[in-house]
Amino acid sequence: MKIFLFALLGAAAVLAAATPSSANDRYADRPPVMVSPDLSAPWVLQLGRAPGIVRQNRQEMQKPQRRSQRQAQPAQLHTAAMQAPSKKRIIARPQINPIYLPQEVAYDGPEKPGTIVIDTRENFLYLVENNGKARRYGVGTGEPGFEWAGKHKISQKKVWPEWRPPAVMISREAAKGRYLPTYVAGGVENPLGARALYLGSTLYRIHGTNQPWTIGGAVSSGCIRMRNEDVVDLYERVDVGTTVVVM
């Protein structure tokens, strides 16, 4: 009995000597655990259930994410934006009637080969050829009030001509609320189109247009309009001095 009491008192003395301060001193020389904010670091994943860290199962991490859960990277977003088609407003234009496309036709009129004949009633231009033939093109002609007839010769030929609207046209259009520039350089935006054949000393021309859907109508202020590809073709076939008959 005495031996048991002695052992019990000894154990109590040992426990009394082990104070909290001495217990903490055992770990004073160890650095504190620093948790990286990057939860994907391998050493962090090995900490198990450390405070503030949720450990993911390796198999769960290796599962492919669903498309809806994946976030597009900035580079991917940029690429998608570059590849996305831009939405542009498309204005539907009426198609030209095939009857106004260039074609070879029979000609039995009085004009000799090489003459240009313009029928403003049917909106056709004929380049008379040999053997009772003519090359026919569709044209746009003068609107009501601007019809005219006569015979002239081509006095000038110009490639991508500039446009200087006459003062009377500028005044007339201004009265309608449409203000014309005094000068437009040659180019695709120019109303005279790709080529111009000037008729004598008049203000009239056979010229191209940037509005090909108007071919076949009475639409101009007296000039003869052609599709750009057609006026280029005609330009190559005739010379300065060619006779032009407007009916």
Side-chain angles (χ1 to χ4, degrees):
M1 184 69 178
K2 290 182 179 181
I3 295 174
F4 176 76
L5 292 175
F6 180 79
L8 183 62
L9 291 173
V14 172
L15 290 174
T19 61
S21 60
S22 62
N24 291 336
D25 291 340
R26 295 171 57 190
Y27 303 98
D29 59 340
R30 295 188 181 185
V33 175
M34 303 297 294
V35 179
S36 169
D38 181 5
L39 300 184
S40 65
W43 70 272
V44 176
L45 298 178
Q46 295 173 9
L47 292 179
R49 303 181 65 83
I53 298 177
V54 178
R55 182 178 181 182
Q56 290 180 283
N57 184 279
R58 182 181 299 273
Q59 294 180 350
E60 290 294 327
M61 293 180 61
Q62 294 177 348
K63 285 183 179 180
Q65 293 178 308
R66 294 181 180 178
R67 183 178 298 274
S68 60
Q69 295 176 341
R70 290 201 293 259
Q71 294 183 352
Q73 297 299 320
Q76 294 173 334
L77 292 175
H78 177 72
T79 302
M82 293 294 291
Q83 293 177 348
S86 58
K87 295 182 178 180
K88 295 182 179 179
R89 184 181 179 186
I90 300 176
I91 301 176
R93 301 292 188 188
Q95 298 296 317
I96 185 172
N97 189 324
I99 196 174
Y100 295 116
L101 297 178
Q103 52 192 289
E104 294 289 327
V105 297
Y107 177 78
D108 58 0
E111 306 300 334
K112 64 181 182 179
T115 303
I116 293 175
V117 179
I118 300 172
D119 183 344
T120 59
R121 295 181 182 85
E122 299 296 330
N123 292 325
F124 289 125
L125 180 152
Y126 299 87
L127 176 59
V128 181
E129 299 176 334
N130 295 312
N131 303 319
K133 300 287 184 180
R135 185 167 180 80
R136 189 182 75 185
Y137 306 85
V139 295
T141 54
E143 60 186 6
F146 294 92
E147 307 97 331
W148 65 278
K151 179 182 287 189
H152 297 281
K153 292 186 180 294
I154 294 176
S155 55
Q156 294 184 71
K157 295 171 59 178
K158 289 188 178 180
V159 175
W160 292 108
E162 61 186 20
W163 183 47
R164 298 179 185 272
V168 63
M169 178 184 288
I170 293 175
S171 299
R172 183 176 65 246
E173 295 300 319
K176 301 176 184 177
R178 179 171 177 250
Y179 298 95
L180 299 179
T182 57
Y183 170 79
V184 179
V188 294
E189 299 298 326
N190 192 306
L192 299 186
R195 303 288 187 272
L197 306 172
Y198 293 78
L199 304 181
S201 59
T202 72
L203 297 177
Y204 300 127
R205 293 155 290 219
I206 301 170
H207 63 78
T209 180
N210 54 13
Q211 298 178 326
W213 56 89
T214 63
I215 299 304
V219 290
S220 75
S221 296
C223 286
I224 308 302
R225 295 183 184 181
M226 303 179 72
R227 296 191 312 160
N228 276 332
E229 51 266 56
D230 295 345
V231 77
V232 169
D233 182 71
L234 180 65
Y235 183 97
E236 299 297 331
R237 294 174 184 269
V238 299
D239 298 317
V240 171
T242 295
T243 299
V244 178
V245 178
V246 180
M247 301 185 299

